[in-house]
Amino acid sequence: MTAAPTTPPLPRRLVAELTGSALLAAVVIGSGIMATSLTTDVGVQLLINAVATAFGLTVLILVFGPVGGAHFNPAVTLAIAATRGLDWRDAPAYITAQIAGCATGAVLANLMFAEPAISVSTTDRVASNTLVAEVVAAAGLVLVILALVRSQRLALVAPAVGAYIGSAYFFTASTSFANPAITIGRMLSDTFAGIAPTSAPGFIAAQLVGAALGLTLAVLLYPRRVDVIEEPRSEAGAGSDTGSASTPAAVEPGVRAAPPR
Amino acid sequence: MTAAPTTPPLPRRLVAELTGSALLAAVVIGSGIMATSLTTDVGVQLLINAVATAFGLTVLILVFGPVGGAHFNPAVTLAIAATRGLDWRDAPAYITAQIAGCATGAVLANLMFAEPAISVSTTDRVASNTLVAEVVAAAGLVLVILALVRSQRLALVAPAVGAYIGSAYFFTASTSFANPAITIGRMLSDTFAGIAPTSAPGFIAAQLVGAALGLTLAVLLYPRRVDVIEEPRSEAGAGSDTGSASTPAAVEPGVRAAPPR
Amino acid sequence: MTAAPTTPPLPRRLVAELTGSALLAAVVIGSGIMATSLTTDVGVQLLINAVATAFGLTVLILVFGPVGGAHFNPAVTLAIAATRGLDWRDAPAYITAQIAGCATGAVLANLMFAEPAISVSTTDRVASNTLVAEVVAAAGLVLVILALVRSQRLALVAPAVGAYIGSAYFFTASTSFANPAITIGRMLSDTFAGIAPTSAPGFIAAQLVGAALGLTLAVLLYPRRVDVIEEPRSEAGAGSDTGSASTPAAVEPGVRAAPPR
Amino acid sequence: MTAAPTTPPLPRRLVAELTGSALLAAVVIGSGIMATSLTTDVGVQLLINAVATAFGLTVLILVFGPVGGAHFNPAVTLAIAATRGLDWRDAPAYITAQIAGCATGAVLANLMFAEPAISVSTTDRVASNTLVAEVVAAAGLVLVILALVRSQRLALVAPAVGAYIGSAYFFTASTSFANPAITIGRMLSDTFAGIAPTSAPGFIAAQLVGAALGLTLAVLLYPRRVDVIEEPRSEAGAGSDTGSASTPAAVEPGVRAAPPR
């Protein structure tokens, strides 16, 4: 009754990745500039930055996800390609679009706030503890995405990633960059959210290590590709006429065998 | 088993647009007045204004959406009419109701806070960077709405628009008016959220340019009218008995052909 | 395949109303006391109070809603009885449980924060503008609930009511009591959220006027009892096999005839 | 068409409990350290701590729930075992994993913020009112979880628990530890979220009393194991073709008999 799903053509997906990445960088950098213009309380500044990013990122994933996947992040693209969610041959173009997008978004944020179009950040952020924090931040991000994808809960990716980043702004000492493309974009704005170019390589390396760690953990926890898990089963039990005889016991977790693919 | 959907009669839809627009203006202007009465930290003030608007706007779309569409915004009405979601002949009445509603809501907010019923704002907001910001703000708003509509995710419009505006308060230098009707309403309150009449034409022109940009981008990303995308497919796979043989690969995006219309 | 729904026995519903009302009062009053103990910035104080109430109220409706309806509010009980959602004969017991619950919750909050079990509030809150604000606050609350109920979106009542109150804390000059039972409970705590007994009658009268206004507006917008609206239709189109030939045009609103009852 | 659900093997579930508990402790303790490093306003500090925990906990339950149940909390494990949602024989391993995880997470947070790996907290938190608060906090937590589980709304557990804790940070005088494992973990960080070892036994005892109270209340309100309640029914009525003749009256609550198990 419904036709088979088809993947949009690559150029359209790249437009989505580029535009989405640009808007993500504009949200992160722009709300940082706004925050410092409004208050001198750094707690309130980072709260503004985090709330704007959490809300904005959720919306961007909703808008661009169905077109290009809404990775906006080379570490995520690599992890998804590694789990066969993206053709490896498309990865270089995705990553190029993400970096170009984040750089464009940094310029857009600068212009919206009457800053020079490009100003190289002088904020040194590398320390042993912030690098540990970036490993944790990226591992968590990749784990969240892959856990939801591998358990067929795609509709939850957008709010969960937004909430995760909103939280990680505070529980990681690095304020959770967790994204090589946006790390590059943030080099181009000497404002609240900026990062000095000398700090970028360390951050990016830590993010890639974290992504590998998150990927490993996700595969360990969800070894099979297509599990169907408690939440949808609950809805199925209430809203469908399957009359399932296999209602699970309370919250004791369960998985079903993957449907034939 | 279910009857065909019918559109409510135009007068009822206009009551919904007028009432909803009035309440939206009351939320935006009222929470701004409240914020300045509570604290001198402008960061906290705008956080209060943004949180109240994000929550309030989401609820207003839930309440009035099924009746009149919950546009509350001439730029949105024009974009929806342009994509055949509203009969062009209804657009002038919609826009009139929105402007009348926002003006009424401004008066209501003023009265709730013991201000004069009408006080013309003296806050000049026009600058080249704030006009760029309004283009971005309105483009993003129209893009969010049309992307969700064109991918059949109407249930997500309310929370996504609320979250978008909550974020855009901070990532745009103009605090994201993004709405000609509320720009007019805000002229009538010389308080935190106000805008001087001399600044209104520039803001409105920027908003209309932004709406056209958002419309273009939405059609580029979602060229067909009725795509069915990853999120509903995921739910369908879990909660229905379609036993779909076309389970999509991870987050690699897919679209289905539109059902016959 | 599934048995007919049955209403829980009245005593169990009253336990739910009493317990839920008590916890609601504890959340509102307790978070107010906490807020004033933490900071002198009144903006931050009310933000804490509002966030705690919005989150807490949403959860309480989820927990108690399936048992007793989660009214927690005589104005809501009256509006629901007026639209035949509750037997009028049960209304007095509901209202009694709500008032007893809110009084109990006030005592609980006082004790949790090492205040005297009961201290009569001395905060005078009545003014012409705060009474107008209470009319608006209660009208909005009743409208939100009835609009969702009458359009068969019961699952949205909990988050929508939480978000509404979170917003109304700020856009009404009265911080949105909107509930006669909690107005009575708040008299018993001379802290941030308290209200002097002399102010209570005016607030309660305004709330009842507001409830009547909200009821009127809801019936005007949703004249028929069981409309099925855009959001569920969208989900149905994606997640069911109805193969609906009546896919609605974009966001142009539509209603279906009520199913036979 | 779908295979019967199976519970993942115990070792994998324990990895999930351990990892999830570690990340939860890292979120709670880490965001507390971050908060105190950013601002001197204690209201803003606790707001940051609460927002980070609410968002983070929701995401952790989404990620780990389908694998191990996402208890992260001995009090929750006991309550779930008592309602036959977990085999009693698995409870000791669960609790051990939770405690080990929370201790590990405390160390991780300390390291991410360049603190000594372990520093024993000196924050005395016991008082008669904070013990009452912990009883309330844990009772509420267990009630929220069991009410949703017993009414077959498993998909709501993650956001509801996140929202509950976000609220309880403020409406309980103890900032709602509500978890014996994290109470032990918090002993290992002499920072914002820490608790002196001398205060831990009292807190843990109060939490266990609270869990018993919450369990009692949940069974009182939801006496049968598998109720199906208003929200799913509402969705079923709109989105399925069951053509239910038993549409419930408005928000008057109802339950269906449990399906055969």
Side-chain angles (χ1 to χ4, degrees), chain A residues 31-32 35-50 125 169-170 175 192-193, chain B residues 41 43-44 47, chain D residues 34-41 44-45 48:
Chain A
S31 64
T36 48
S37 79
L38 294 173
T39 178
T40 57
D41 183 318
V42 188
V44 175
Q45 288 173 358
L46 199 61
L47 199 56
I48 285 172
N49 203 195
R125 291 182 183 265
Y169 258 90
F170 296 111
T175 69
F192 186 69
Chain B
D41 184 318
V44 175
L47 199 56
Chain D
M34 176 64 100
T36 48
S37 78
L38 294 173
T39 178
T40 57
D41 184 318
V44 175
Q45 288 173 357
I48 285 172

Side-chain angles (χ1 to χ4, degrees), chain A residues 41 129 153 167 173 222 234 253 255, chain D residues 6 39 52 62-63 67 112 152:
Chain A
D41 183 318
N129 69 308
R153 292 176 290 172
S167 180
Y222 294 90
S234 165
V255 290
Chain D
T6 59
T39 178
L62 288 176
V63 168
V67 183
M112 275 200 294
Q152 295 277 55

Side-chain angles (χ1 to χ4, degrees), chain A residues 5-196:
Chain A
T6 59
T7 302
L10 185 59
R12 205 198 307 162
R13 290 152 65 200
L14 295 178
V15 168
E17 280 296 296
L18 188 136
T19 314
S21 300
L23 290 173
L24 176 59
V27 168
V28 170
I29 295 169
S31 64
I33 300 175
M34 175 65 100
T36 48
S37 79
L38 294 173
T39 178
T40 57
D41 183 318
V42 188
V44 175
Q45 288 173 358
L46 199 61
L47 199 56
I48 285 172
N49 203 195
V51 167
T53 304
F55 280 9
L57 179 51
T58 297
V59 173
L60 290 174
I61 296 174
L62 289 176
V63 168
F64 294 99
V67 182
H71 303 173
F72 310 153
N73 185 339
V76 170
T77 291
L78 293 174
I80 285 177
T83 50
R84 287 182 298 159
L86 181 81
D87 192 322
W88 274 112
R89 287 169 299 186
D90 294 344
Y94 261 62
I95 293 171
T96 304
Q98 290 155 2
I99 294 172
C102 284
T104 305
V107 172
L108 177 60
N110 288 333
L111 294 178
M112 276 201 292
F113 286 91
E115 300 276 341
I118 293 181
S119 60
V120 177
S121 172
T122 56
T123 308
D124 189 19
R125 291 182 183 265
V126 163
S128 62
N129 69 308
T130 56
L131 293 180
V132 172
E134 278 300 295
V135 171
V136 172
L141 176 62
V142 166
L143 174 59
V144 169
I145 294 170
L146 291 185
L148 293 173
V149 166
R150 292 174 81 83
S151 55
Q152 296 276 56
R153 292 176 290 172
L154 299 193
L156 291 177
V157 170
V161 167
Y164 173 77
I165 292 294
S167 180
Y169 258 90
F170 296 111
F171 79 76
T172 65
S174 60
T175 69
S176 191
F177 282 47
N179 179 341
I182 211 164
T183 302
I184 292 171
R186 286 177 179 218
M187 288 165 36
L188 307 180
S189 183
D190 193 15
T191 59
F192 186 69
I195 181 171

Side-chain angles (χ1 to χ4, degrees), chain A residues 159-253:
Chain A
V161 167
Y164 173 77
I165 292 294
S167 180
Y169 258 90
F170 296 111
F171 79 76
T172 65
S174 60
T175 69
S176 191
F177 282 47
N179 179 341
I182 211 164
T183 302
I184 292 171
R186 286 177 179 218
M187 288 165 36
L188 307 180
S189 183
D190 193 15
T191 59
F192 186 69
I195 181 171
T198 51
S199 288
F203 262 48
I204 291 173
Q207 290 156 6
L208 295 176
V209 170
L213 184 61
L215 170 62
T216 304
L217 199 48
V219 173
L220 186 68
L221 291 170
Y222 294 90
R224 280 182 300 176
R225 189 70 184 291
V226 184
D227 293 339
V228 176
I229 49 76
E230 57 178 356
E231 280 85 344
R233 246 189 298 135
S234 165
E235 291 172 17
S240 80
D241 56 352
T242 55
S244 163
S246 58
T247 310
V251 291
E252 191 155 20

